[in-house]
Amino acid sequence: MNNRILSNFEIVESLVDEIGDQKLTELSKFLGNRIKSPDSFIVLFGETSSGKTTLLNGLLGEHLLYTSVSPSTGAIVEICFDDKINVLEYYAINNDASIERLDKEIFDELNKNPDEMLNRLKINAPKKFAVDGALRLFDTPGYGSLIDQHEKVLMNILPESNLLVYVVSYKVGIQQDDINFLKMAAEVITEGTKIVLVINRVPEEAVNGDIRSSEIEEYVSDFLHYKPKTILISNELCENDEYPLPKCNELWNYVGHTINAEESQIELEICFTKYIFGLVEHCEHVIIKKEIQVQSSEIEKKEIKGIVDELRRTQVEIQEELIKPTFKKLIEAMPVKLDNASLLVGKAINSKIDDSSKLNQDEMLTYINQYMLSNETSKEMQIIKSYIELTLRDLDKKIGEKLNIALCRIEKTIELNFNDAFVKLSKNLIKKSGGRILEASVLNYFKQFAGRGGTGIANGAKHLLKKAGDMFGKTFSRETHNNLAKFLSKVGATSAKAVGIGVSVIIETLFIITDLLTWQKKLKKATKKGINVWKNEVVTILTEDLEKLKDENIQLVNDEIEMWVSNFTFDESAEDITIVSVEKLKQKLEEVKVDIEYKGEDDE
């Protein structure tokens, strides 16, 4: 990491130490750890037996990870590198956020047969194994083998990734499972994520490229809407007809070059500079609170309690009058809207079948399965997504309006009942609440996802700070928009997965069509069955996801209210706070701003 970034962090850290606030110290500690260890996320994915785990074993130089040519459930395995250890360490990270040290035998067994408690497995490896650069590698099961829990974990990893390595077997090529998964992945992969296509086990005569490799590359580019870097790895066998550990120098050199590229480093520096400036704003927020506390009279402190009570009432009203009724309406609407969508999809496909030649049954089956079912359901889902988005944006607006009304009443209360000095400090406190956003976007973020036991997986370099505006005229849209965007992208992925299930049902129902006179009728019947499977799958998952999104919205409101409540909640046990000590902190703050060339919102 850039020495200037580390130096600036250490300057701010010295201010944090002087302030002596527990949460601020905790925040600084987590931020410092991430600045000192800015890992890039590299995810390998592909179908079972494509050879992706063997590629990782080749990088590590040992058969560390379990491999199998037959489908198995398997677990997601995270590999981290630590220059302080000399031997491999094995861990299980569970869904309840607990972490267990494992021996190799139990690790291998969980890798083959993960239990319901497991979120992912983790290996800490000595630094000698690592590619040049700080990175975390994720090996994923073949997606035909994914159980639901691990699919959710994988769908959370993909948006956080800096680089994706998609491994395809030259011999097997792109199959229906690949198509289904690529469509899902395309919905959640974030802009700026690099993708590498590895075509594995290529015959020696085709290592420089051929028509089959070009076709695989074209398929992947079409489904991901992105032209990946393509690397061909030759097919080598040992004397016992087993695959050796491949060195894959071209792949790992590309990985190292990508994560160490100047543009990647610049992105990291911008990200961490914003984090450090946010930490400064948080320091200023705490200092202003201390100043208000030492300057407030007992009467003013009683008035402050009334402000807190007003915020709590608003919190309950938003939940009961806005959030819960809106999501109830959405959840009840989903079966009706999906019923209508399935009828329109069926009508469009039946019309196409009726127009087809009696002799084109094979071509029509292929056309429906590979294109039309996906295309028609996608069009209908776009309409449903728009309905959900409009409904939730309207909810967002109403929440913002209700918050603003409450906050404006608080502003009026402060102006009428407090002295000029308190009013000035309070407005400054509220304005500087931008630093409080750092607590939500870094402290909770890294605390939950730092990989030391947190069940989620998150990449600090992919998340810049969200700016906070003035208290007055403020909108509630910052986090809700992020959650909404994530939810809507998942809606597309959900439908894509359900289409794949529907296609399987159509194929299973028909198997082989031989009757030239009745194939159209049979195909319509099979298609109707497949569409119903798609509809039911989407309704079930959308209902579950809307329930989760409701809970997230309630939590966001709670977090928002708690942030404003904390503005007017003071530590009465802190007897050492004096006007003199606060003035010293204010002076130190100004010195820190000069030293790190601080730029706040007003300076940008």
Side-chain angles (χ1 to χ4, degrees):
M1 179 49 62
N2 185 302
N3 288 335
R4 178 65 175 168
I5 299 293
L6 283 173
S7 175
N8 283 349
F9 171 73
E10 288 168 358
I11 290 170
V12 179
E13 189 178 34
S14 68
L15 173 61
V16 171
D17 291 341
E18 286 194 34
I19 291 172
D21 180 83
Q22 183 179 350
K23 281 191 175 181
L24 190 57
T25 300
E26 189 178 7
L27 168 61
S28 177
K29 178 183 175 182
F30 280 109
L31 181 54
N33 288 339
R34 301 316 295 156
I35 289 176
K36 292 168 187 174
S37 303
D39 298 342
S40 297
F41 283 33
I42 315 299
V43 177
L44 279 78
F45 67 102
E47 184 53 292
T48 301
S49 77
S50 61
K52 60 191 178 311
T53 304
T54 305
L55 293 179
L56 269 179
N57 283 335
L59 168 67
L60 299 172
E62 297 182 26
H63 286 280
L64 296 178
L65 302 173
Y66 169 74
T67 59
S68 173
V69 296
S70 59
S72 58
T73 51
I76 291 172
V77 180
E78 175 186 359
I79 305 173
C80 298
F81 300 95
D82 190 339
D83 55 9
K84 297 182 179 65
I85 62 174
N86 297 314
V87 296
L88 294 163
E89 298 175 350
Y90 301 92
Y91 297 92
I93 298 177
N94 298 315
N95 293 318
D96 63 1
S98 62
I99 185 167
E100 301 174 66
R101 182 80 179 262
L102 306 174
D103 60 33
K104 182 66 163 61
E105 184 178 350
I106 295 177
F107 179 92
D108 287 341
E109 181 58 33
L110 280 173
N111 197 2
K112 299 174 194 175
N113 302 295
D115 57 37
E116 293 182 357
M117 292 175 56
L118 184 70
N119 181 275
R120 67 185 186 277
L121 293 168
K122 181 178 178 181
I123 297 176
N124 281 347
K127 198 72 173 178
K128 66 178 181 179
F129 287 130
V131 174
D132 183 26
L135 75 162
R136 293 162 74 178
L137 297 169
F138 294 88
D139 182 36
T140 65
Y143 34 73
S145 309
L146 281 172
I147 58 177
D148 286 344
Q149 173 60 31
H150 296 144
E151 182 179 292
K152 291 174 184 176
V153 176
L154 180 56
M155 286 298 109
N156 285 329
I157 294 175
L158 293 181
E160 305 293 339
S161 305
N162 299 91
L163 190 147
L164 298 172
V165 180
Y166 177 44
V167 184
V168 177
S169 166
Y170 176 90
K171 182 179 179 180
V172 177
I174 302 295
Q175 302 297 314
Q176 189 62 50
D177 277 348
D178 298 279
I179 293 171
N180 297 340
F181 188 84
L182 287 173
K183 287 179 178 179
M184 288 175 61
E187 295 282 351
V188 298
I189 294 172
T190 54
E191 185 178 354
T193 301
K194 301 287 192 302
I195 303 175
V196 181
L197 168 62
V198 173
I199 303 177
N200 203 15
R201 298 169 182 161
V202 178
E204 186 174 348
E205 64 272 16
V207 291
N208 294 317
D210 63 356
I211 293 175
R212 180 160 182 77
S213 296
S214 298
E215 288 175 345
I216 292 173
E217 184 176 4
E218 191 174 325
Y219 265 118
V220 173
S221 299
D222 285 346
F223 289 118
L224 289 179
H225 315 298
Y226 174 93
K227 185 172 177 57
K229 163 77 173 175
T230 301
I231 294 175
L232 306 183
I233 296 180
S234 62
N235 186 19
E236 299 178 7
L237 288 174
C238 298
E239 293 181 1
N240 57 0
D241 288 341
E242 292 182 356
Y243 290 106
L245 292 179
K247 297 299 181 184
C248 316
N249 290 335
E250 183 183 2
L251 170 62
W252 301 121
N253 287 340
Y254 178 79
V255 169
H257 172 76
T258 300
I259 65 176
N260 291 303
E262 184 178 0
E263 63 179 289
S264 299
Q265 296 307 305
I266 290 173
E267 181 183 340
L268 269 177
E269 289 174 16
I270 291 172
C271 171
F272 286 126
T273 295
K274 287 182 177 289
Y275 281 145
I276 291 169
F277 287 174
L279 184 59
V280 171
E281 289 190 6
H282 195 77
C283 289
E284 187 165 8
H285 179 275
V286 174
I287 291 170
I288 294 171
K289 276 187 66 176
K290 289 178 181 290
E291 187 173 12
I292 289 176
Q293 182 172 349
V294 297
Q295 292 191 12
S296 299
S297 67
E298 291 303 316
I299 294 175
E300 286 171 332
K301 287 178 180 178
K302 288 182 180 179
E303 291 288 345
I304 288 170
K305 184 179 182 303
I307 291 173
V308 171
D309 291 341
E310 170 83 11
L311 286 167
R312 295 291 188 206
R313 284 193 295 272
T314 302
Q315 181 178 12
V316 173
E317 288 171 3
I318 288 174
Q319 289 184 25
E320 301 301 325
E321 298 174 11
L322 294 177
I323 296 178
K324 290 181 180 179
T326 298
F327 277 92
K328 184 174 184 291
K329 170 187 169 186
L330 278 174
I331 290 169
E332 290 175 349
M334 287 304 102
V336 177
K337 291 194 173 293
L338 265 299
D339 276 339
N340 185 56
S342 63
L343 289 174
L344 293 173
V345 170
K347 184 177 179 181
I349 292 176
N350 287 345
S351 177
K352 193 70 177 178
I353 293 172
D354 289 336
D355 291 341
S356 64
S357 166
K358 294 288 185 184
L359 299 178
N360 286 340
Q361 65 268 33
D362 292 337
E363 289 88 342
M364 179 54 57
L365 177 59
T366 301
Y367 178 74
I368 289 172
N369 286 343
Q370 294 191 4
Y371 172 75
M372 194 169 185
L373 184 58
S374 174
N375 189 56
E376 293 299 325
T377 53
S378 179
K379 285 193 294 187
E380 295 304 322
M381 286 308 300
Q382 191 57 49
I383 295 171
I384 292 173
K385 284 168 66 175
S386 296
Y387 167 73
I388 294 172
E389 182 174 9
L390 287 173
T391 302
L392 294 182
R393 289 198 184 282
D394 182 60
L395 171 64
D396 177 57
K397 181 181 176 182
K398 289 176 180 177
I399 291 173
E401 288 172 350
K402 199 164 191 67
L403 276 174
N404 281 332
I405 290 171
L407 296 174
C408 285
R409 282 202 298 263
I410 291 170
E411 178 188 29
K412 186 63 66 177
T413 299
I414 291 173
E415 289 177 346
L416 291 175
N417 297 287
F418 295 84
N419 61 50
D420 291 342
F422 185 95
V423 171
K424 183 178 179 181
L425 283 172
S426 296
K427 287 194 173 184
N428 200 17
L429 174 71
I430 291 160
K431 183 178 181 181
K432 296 303 179 183
S433 287
R436 298 284 292 161
I437 300 299
L438 184 69
E439 184 173 338
S441 62
V442 181
L443 178 57
N444 294 334
Y445 184 72
F446 288 132
K447 192 172 183 181
Q448 182 181 3
F449 299 126
R452 302 297 178 191
T455 58
I457 302 169
N459 181 354
K462 301 281 281 191
H463 296 262
L464 297 179
L465 283 178
K466 304 164 188 68
K467 295 181 180 178
D470 270 340
M471 171 183 176
F472 312 113
K474 178 181 181 303
T475 66
F476 183 60
S477 59
R478 297 176 191 88
E479 291 289 344
T480 53
H481 286 181
N482 291 341
N483 279 0
L484 177 57
K486 183 178 178 181
F487 170 79
L488 292 174
S489 70
K490 190 178 178 185
V491 170
T494 294
S495 180
K497 176 186 176 182
V499 166
I501 297 172
V503 167
S504 300
V505 169
I506 293 172
I507 294 172
E508 183 181 327
T509 303
L510 290 171
F511 193 60
I512 298 175
I513 304 174
T514 56
D515 190 343
L516 293 179
L517 297 177
T518 62
W519 72 266
Q520 288 169 310
K521 182 178 179 181
K522 291 180 178 178
L523 181 55
K524 286 181 182 180
K525 185 176 180 180
T527 299
K528 181 178 180 181
K529 186 175 180 180
I531 292 170
N532 280 333
V533 168
W534 164 79
K535 176 194 72 175
N536 293 333
E537 183 79 7
V538 173
V539 167
T540 299
I541 298 175
L542 272 186
T543 300
E544 292 174 358
D545 288 346
L546 283 169
E547 287 285 359
K548 291 176 185 176
L549 190 61
K550 177 188 72 176
D551 293 339
E552 288 175 5
N553 272 264
I554 289 173
Q555 188 59 52
L556 280 171
V557 169
N558 291 343
D559 291 344
E560 185 83 2
I561 296 293
E562 289 304 321
M563 185 181 78
W564 296 112
V565 166
S566 72
N567 284 335
F568 301 101
T569 304
F570 306 112
D571 183 7
E572 298 297 338
S573 64
E575 298 177 356
D576 58 338
I577 301 176
T578 64
I579 293 176
V580 173
S581 66
V582 171
E583 287 300 322
K584 286 182 179 179
L585 289 176
K586 287 168 66 178
Q587 183 179 348
K588 173 77 172 179
L589 173 67
E590 294 308 313
E591 292 171 358
V592 166
K593 286 183 176 181
V594 172
D595 289 343
I596 70 170
E597 299 178 2
Y598 168 80
K599 291 182 181 179
E601 282 191 46
D602 294 339
D603 303 312
E604 295 181 355

